[in-house]
Short mmCIF file of all heavy atoms in Angstrom, two decimals:
data_model
loop_
_atom_site.label_atom_id
_atom_site.label_comp_id
_atom_site.label_asym_id
_atom_site.label_seq_id
_atom_site.Cartn_x
_atom_site.Cartn_y
_atom_site.Cartn_z
N ARG A 1476 1.33 -8.80 -9.52
CA ARG A 1476 0.06 -9.14 -10.14
C ARG A 1476 -1.03 -9.39 -9.12
O ARG A 1476 -2.20 -9.07 -9.36
CB ARG A 1476 0.23 -10.39 -11.02
CG ARG A 1476 1.08 -10.16 -12.25
CD ARG A 1476 0.87 -11.26 -13.27
NE ARG A 1476 1.00 -12.58 -12.70
CZ ARG A 1476 1.84 -13.50 -13.13
NH1 ARG A 1476 2.69 -13.22 -14.11
NH2 ARG A 1476 1.88 -14.69 -12.60
N SER A 1477 -0.70 -9.97 -7.96
CA SER A 1477 -1.74 -10.29 -6.98
C SER A 1477 -2.38 -9.02 -6.43
O SER A 1477 -3.61 -8.94 -6.28
CB SER A 1477 -1.16 -11.13 -5.83
OG SER A 1477 -0.15 -10.41 -5.14
N VAL A 1478 -1.58 -7.99 -6.13
CA VAL A 1478 -2.13 -6.73 -5.63
C VAL A 1478 -2.89 -6.01 -6.73
O VAL A 1478 -3.95 -5.42 -6.49
CB VAL A 1478 -1.01 -5.83 -5.07
CG1 VAL A 1478 -1.56 -4.46 -4.69
CG2 VAL A 1478 -0.38 -6.50 -3.84
N ARG A 1479 -2.42 -6.08 -7.96
CA ARG A 1479 -3.11 -5.42 -9.05
C ARG A 1479 -4.46 -6.07 -9.32
O ARG A 1479 -5.42 -5.40 -9.70
CB ARG A 1479 -2.24 -5.40 -10.30
CG ARG A 1479 -0.97 -4.56 -10.12
CD ARG A 1479 -0.20 -4.39 -11.41
NE ARG A 1479 -0.94 -3.52 -12.33
CZ ARG A 1479 -0.51 -3.25 -13.56
NH1 ARG A 1479 0.63 -3.78 -14.00
NH2 ARG A 1479 -1.21 -2.46 -14.34
N ARG A 1480 -4.56 -7.38 -9.11
CA ARG A 1480 -5.87 -8.04 -9.24
C ARG A 1480 -6.82 -7.54 -8.15
O ARG A 1480 -8.02 -7.37 -8.39
CB ARG A 1480 -5.71 -9.56 -9.14
CG ARG A 1480 -5.16 -10.20 -10.41
CD ARG A 1480 -5.37 -11.70 -10.39
NE ARG A 1480 -4.61 -12.35 -9.34
CZ ARG A 1480 -3.38 -12.84 -9.51
NH1 ARG A 1480 -2.78 -12.72 -10.69
NH2 ARG A 1480 -2.75 -13.43 -8.52
N LEU A 1481 -6.29 -7.31 -6.95
CA LEU A 1481 -7.11 -6.76 -5.87
C LEU A 1481 -7.63 -5.38 -6.25
O LEU A 1481 -8.78 -5.04 -5.97
CB LEU A 1481 -6.31 -6.69 -4.58
CG LEU A 1481 -6.99 -5.94 -3.42
CD1 LEU A 1481 -8.24 -6.69 -2.96
CD2 LEU A 1481 -6.02 -5.74 -2.28
N LYS A 1482 -6.80 -4.58 -6.89
CA LYS A 1482 -7.23 -3.25 -7.31
C LYS A 1482 -8.44 -3.34 -8.23
O LYS A 1482 -9.36 -2.52 -8.15
CB LYS A 1482 -6.08 -2.52 -8.03
CG LYS A 1482 -4.84 -2.29 -7.19
CD LYS A 1482 -5.09 -1.35 -6.04
CE LYS A 1482 -3.80 -1.02 -5.31
NZ LYS A 1482 -4.04 -0.16 -4.14
N VAL A 1483 -8.45 -4.32 -9.11
CA VAL A 1483 -9.59 -4.51 -10.00
C VAL A 1483 -10.84 -4.85 -9.19
O VAL A 1483 -11.94 -4.35 -9.46
CB VAL A 1483 -9.30 -5.62 -11.03
CG1 VAL A 1483 -10.55 -5.94 -11.85
CG2 VAL A 1483 -8.15 -5.21 -11.95
N LYS A 1484 -10.69 -5.68 -8.17
CA LYS A 1484 -11.84 -6.09 -7.35
C LYS A 1484 -12.49 -4.92 -6.65
O LYS A 1484 -13.71 -4.89 -6.46
CB LYS A 1484 -11.39 -7.13 -6.30
CG LYS A 1484 -11.10 -8.50 -6.86
CD LYS A 1484 -10.75 -9.47 -5.74
CE LYS A 1484 -10.47 -10.86 -6.29
NZ LYS A 1484 -10.12 -11.81 -5.20
N VAL A 1485 -11.70 -3.94 -6.22
CA VAL A 1485 -12.27 -2.80 -5.50
C VAL A 1485 -12.63 -1.65 -6.44
O VAL A 1485 -13.03 -0.57 -5.98
CB VAL A 1485 -11.31 -2.30 -4.39
CG1 VAL A 1485 -11.04 -3.40 -3.39
CG2 VAL A 1485 -10.01 -1.75 -4.98
N GLY A 1486 -12.50 -1.88 -7.74
CA GLY A 1486 -12.90 -0.86 -8.71
C GLY A 1486 -11.90 0.27 -8.88
O GLY A 1486 -12.25 1.33 -9.40
N ALA A 1487 -10.66 0.06 -8.45
CA ALA A 1487 -9.64 1.10 -8.62
C ALA A 1487 -9.28 1.23 -10.10
O ALA A 1487 -9.29 0.25 -10.84
CB ALA A 1487 -8.39 0.75 -7.81
N ARG A 1488 -8.97 2.45 -10.52
CA ARG A 1488 -8.57 2.66 -11.90
C ARG A 1488 -7.13 3.18 -11.95
O ARG A 1488 -6.68 3.93 -11.08
CB ARG A 1488 -9.51 3.61 -12.62
CG ARG A 1488 -9.57 5.02 -12.08
CD ARG A 1488 -10.61 5.84 -12.84
NE ARG A 1488 -10.71 7.20 -12.36
CZ ARG A 1488 -9.94 8.19 -12.76
NH1 ARG A 1488 -8.97 7.94 -13.65
NH2 ARG A 1488 -10.09 9.41 -12.27
N GLU A 1489 -6.43 2.76 -12.97
CA GLU A 1489 -5.06 3.20 -13.16
C GLU A 1489 -5.03 4.66 -13.59
O GLU A 1489 -5.78 5.06 -14.48
CB GLU A 1489 -4.38 2.32 -14.20
CG GLU A 1489 -4.27 0.86 -13.79
CD GLU A 1489 -3.81 -0.03 -14.93
OE1 GLU A 1489 -4.15 0.30 -16.09
OE2 GLU A 1489 -3.14 -1.03 -14.66
N VAL A 1490 -4.18 5.43 -12.95
CA VAL A 1490 -4.07 6.85 -13.25
C VAL A 1490 -2.76 7.14 -13.97
O VAL A 1490 -2.74 7.81 -15.00
CB VAL A 1490 -4.17 7.69 -11.96
CG1 VAL A 1490 -3.94 9.17 -12.25
CG2 VAL A 1490 -5.54 7.49 -11.31
N GLN A 1491 -1.66 6.64 -13.43
CA GLN A 1491 -0.36 6.89 -14.01
C GLN A 1491 0.54 5.67 -13.88
O GLN A 1491 0.41 4.89 -12.94
CB GLN A 1491 0.35 8.07 -13.33
CG GLN A 1491 -0.27 9.43 -13.59
CD GLN A 1491 0.54 10.54 -12.94
OE1 GLN A 1491 1.43 10.29 -12.11
NE2 GLN A 1491 0.25 11.78 -13.30
N LEU A 1492 1.46 5.54 -14.83
CA LEU A 1492 2.59 4.61 -14.72
C LEU A 1492 3.83 5.47 -14.52
O LEU A 1492 4.10 6.39 -15.29
CB LEU A 1492 2.73 3.78 -15.99
CG LEU A 1492 3.94 2.83 -16.06
CD1 LEU A 1492 3.86 1.77 -14.98
CD2 LEU A 1492 4.05 2.19 -17.44
N ARG A 1493 4.59 5.16 -13.45
CA ARG A 1493 5.76 5.95 -13.09
C ARG A 1493 6.97 5.04 -12.88
O ARG A 1493 6.82 3.82 -12.73
CB ARG A 1493 5.50 6.78 -11.83
CG ARG A 1493 4.26 7.67 -11.90
CD ARG A 1493 4.14 8.56 -10.68
NE ARG A 1493 5.19 9.56 -10.66
CZ ARG A 1493 5.06 10.80 -11.20
NH1 ARG A 1493 3.92 11.16 -11.77
NH2 ARG A 1493 6.06 11.66 -11.13
N LEU A 1494 8.14 5.65 -12.85
CA LEU A 1494 9.38 4.92 -12.63
C LEU A 1494 10.21 5.63 -11.58
O LEU A 1494 10.54 6.81 -11.73
CB LEU A 1494 10.18 4.80 -13.92
CG LEU A 1494 11.56 4.11 -13.81
CD1 LEU A 1494 11.39 2.64 -13.41
CD2 LEU A 1494 12.32 4.22 -15.12
N SER A 1495 10.53 4.92 -10.49
CA SER A 1495 11.39 5.44 -9.45
C SER A 1495 12.82 4.96 -9.72
O SER A 1495 13.06 3.74 -9.83
CB SER A 1495 10.92 4.96 -8.08
OG SER A 1495 11.79 5.41 -7.06
N ILE A 1496 13.75 5.90 -9.81
CA ILE A 1496 15.15 5.59 -10.12
C ILE A 1496 16.03 6.09 -8.98
O ILE A 1496 15.88 7.21 -8.50
CB ILE A 1496 15.59 6.26 -11.43
CG1 ILE A 1496 14.73 5.79 -12.61
CG2 ILE A 1496 17.07 5.96 -11.71
CD1 ILE A 1496 15.03 6.53 -13.89
N GLY A 1497 16.96 5.24 -8.56
CA GLY A 1497 17.94 5.64 -7.57
C GLY A 1497 19.29 5.03 -7.89
O GLY A 1497 19.37 3.86 -8.27
N LEU A 1498 20.36 5.82 -7.77
CA LEU A 1498 21.71 5.35 -8.09
C LEU A 1498 22.63 5.59 -6.89
O LEU A 1498 23.02 6.73 -6.61
CB LEU A 1498 22.26 6.07 -9.32
CG LEU A 1498 21.44 5.94 -10.61
CD1 LEU A 1498 22.08 6.74 -11.74
CD2 LEU A 1498 21.32 4.47 -11.03
N PHE A 1499 22.90 4.51 -6.17
CA PHE A 1499 23.89 4.51 -5.08
C PHE A 1499 23.62 5.58 -4.03
O PHE A 1499 24.55 6.09 -3.41
CB PHE A 1499 25.29 4.67 -5.65
CG PHE A 1499 25.64 3.65 -6.70
CD1 PHE A 1499 25.71 4.03 -8.04
CD2 PHE A 1499 25.82 2.33 -6.37
CE1 PHE A 1499 26.01 3.09 -9.02
CE2 PHE A 1499 26.12 1.38 -7.34
CZ PHE A 1499 26.21 1.76 -8.67
N GLY A 1500 22.34 5.94 -3.84
CA GLY A 1500 21.99 6.91 -2.82
C GLY A 1500 22.34 8.34 -3.16
O GLY A 1500 22.08 9.25 -2.36
N ARG A 1501 22.92 8.60 -4.33
CA ARG A 1501 23.36 9.95 -4.69
C ARG A 1501 22.46 10.61 -5.73
O ARG A 1501 22.50 11.83 -5.91
CB ARG A 1501 24.80 9.92 -5.21
CG ARG A 1501 25.83 9.47 -4.18
CD ARG A 1501 27.24 9.71 -4.67
NE ARG A 1501 27.55 8.88 -5.83
CZ ARG A 1501 28.08 7.66 -5.73
NH1 ARG A 1501 28.35 7.14 -4.54
NH2 ARG A 1501 28.36 6.96 -6.81
N PHE A 1502 21.65 9.82 -6.41
CA PHE A 1502 20.78 10.34 -7.46
C PHE A 1502 19.43 9.66 -7.33
O PHE A 1502 19.34 8.44 -7.24
CB PHE A 1502 21.38 10.05 -8.83
CG PHE A 1502 20.49 10.43 -9.99
CD1 PHE A 1502 20.53 11.70 -10.52
CD2 PHE A 1502 19.61 9.50 -10.54
CE1 PHE A 1502 19.70 12.05 -11.59
CE2 PHE A 1502 18.79 9.84 -11.61
CZ PHE A 1502 18.84 11.12 -12.13
N LYS A 1503 18.35 10.48 -7.33
CA LYS A 1503 17.01 9.92 -7.26
C LYS A 1503 16.06 10.73 -8.10
O LYS A 1503 16.05 11.97 -8.02
CB LYS A 1503 16.52 9.88 -5.80
CG LYS A 1503 15.16 9.19 -5.65
CD LYS A 1503 14.77 9.07 -4.19
CE LYS A 1503 13.42 8.36 -4.08
NZ LYS A 1503 13.01 8.21 -2.65
N ARG A 1504 15.26 10.05 -8.90
CA ARG A 1504 14.26 10.69 -9.73
C ARG A 1504 13.00 9.84 -9.75
O ARG A 1504 13.07 8.61 -9.65
CB ARG A 1504 14.76 10.89 -11.17
CG ARG A 1504 15.87 11.89 -11.32
CD ARG A 1504 15.38 13.32 -11.09
NE ARG A 1504 16.43 14.30 -11.35
CZ ARG A 1504 17.36 14.67 -10.49
NH1 ARG A 1504 17.38 14.13 -9.27
NH2 ARG A 1504 18.27 15.56 -10.81
N ASP A 1505 11.86 10.50 -9.89
CA ASP A 1505 10.59 9.82 -10.06
C ASP A 1505 9.98 10.34 -11.36
O ASP A 1505 9.63 11.51 -11.45
CB ASP A 1505 9.65 10.10 -8.87
CG ASP A 1505 8.45 9.17 -8.86
OD1 ASP A 1505 7.65 9.22 -9.82
OD2 ASP A 1505 8.29 8.40 -7.90
N LEU A 1506 9.89 9.47 -12.36
CA LEU A 1506 9.52 9.90 -13.71
C LEU A 1506 8.12 9.43 -14.08
O LEU A 1506 7.73 8.29 -13.79
CB LEU A 1506 10.51 9.33 -14.73
CG LEU A 1506 12.00 9.63 -14.48
CD1 LEU A 1506 12.84 8.94 -15.53
CD2 LEU A 1506 12.26 11.13 -14.46
N LEU A 1507 7.37 10.30 -14.74
CA LEU A 1507 6.07 9.93 -15.29
C LEU A 1507 6.30 9.27 -16.65
O LEU A 1507 6.89 9.87 -17.55
CB LEU A 1507 5.19 11.17 -15.45
CG LEU A 1507 3.87 10.96 -16.20
CD1 LEU A 1507 2.96 10.00 -15.45
CD2 LEU A 1507 3.19 12.31 -16.43
N LEU A 1508 5.83 8.02 -16.79
CA LEU A 1508 5.98 7.30 -18.05
C LEU A 1508 4.72 7.34 -18.90
O LEU A 1508 4.79 7.34 -20.12
CB LEU A 1508 6.35 5.83 -17.77
CG LEU A 1508 7.63 5.58 -16.99
CD1 LEU A 1508 7.87 4.08 -16.86
CD2 LEU A 1508 8.83 6.24 -17.65
N LYS A 1509 3.55 7.36 -18.21
CA LYS A 1509 2.31 7.26 -18.97
C LYS A 1509 1.13 7.75 -18.16
O LYS A 1509 1.03 7.48 -16.96
CB LYS A 1509 2.07 5.79 -19.38
CG LYS A 1509 0.78 5.53 -20.12
CD LYS A 1509 0.64 4.04 -20.45
CE LYS A 1509 -0.66 3.75 -21.18
NZ LYS A 1509 -0.77 2.30 -21.50
N HIS A 1510 0.24 8.49 -18.81
CA HIS A 1510 -1.08 8.79 -18.26
C HIS A 1510 -2.05 7.77 -18.85
O HIS A 1510 -2.13 7.61 -20.07
CB HIS A 1510 -1.55 10.19 -18.66
CG HIS A 1510 -1.11 11.27 -17.73
ND1 HIS A 1510 -1.55 11.35 -16.42
CD2 HIS A 1510 -0.28 12.33 -17.92
CE1 HIS A 1510 -1.02 12.42 -15.85
NE2 HIS A 1510 -0.24 13.03 -16.73
N TYR A 1511 -2.80 7.08 -17.98
CA TYR A 1511 -3.80 6.15 -18.49
C TYR A 1511 -5.06 6.91 -18.89
O TYR A 1511 -5.39 7.92 -18.27
CB TYR A 1511 -4.14 5.10 -17.44
CG TYR A 1511 -3.04 4.10 -17.21
CD1 TYR A 1511 -2.16 4.24 -16.12
CD2 TYR A 1511 -2.85 3.02 -18.07
CE1 TYR A 1511 -1.14 3.33 -15.91
CE2 TYR A 1511 -1.83 2.11 -17.86
CZ TYR A 1511 -0.98 2.27 -16.78
OH TYR A 1511 0.04 1.37 -16.57
N PRO A 1512 -5.77 6.42 -19.93
CA PRO A 1512 -7.02 7.09 -20.33
C PRO A 1512 -8.00 7.12 -19.17
O PRO A 1512 -8.11 6.17 -18.40
CB PRO A 1512 -7.54 6.19 -21.47
CG PRO A 1512 -6.34 5.46 -21.96
CD PRO A 1512 -5.46 5.26 -20.76
#
Side-chain angles (χ1 to χ4, degrees):
R1476 292 197 310 237
S1477 62
V1478 174
R1479 295 188 70 183
R1480 283 195 295 269
L1481 171 66
K1482 299 294 186 183
V1483 173
K1484 287 183 179 180
V1485 300
R1488 63 183 180 85
E1489 297 170 328
V1490 175
Q1491 291 183 348
L1492 175 64
R1493 305 185 69 92
L1494 177 65
S1495 177
I1496 301 174
L1498 302 178
F1499 305 108
R1501 296 191 294 270
F1502 174 88
K1503 185 175 181 179
R1504 291 290 185 276
D1505 193 298
L1506 306 177
L1507 172 63
L1508 301 182
K1509 177 181 179 180
H1510 272 294
Y1511 288 99

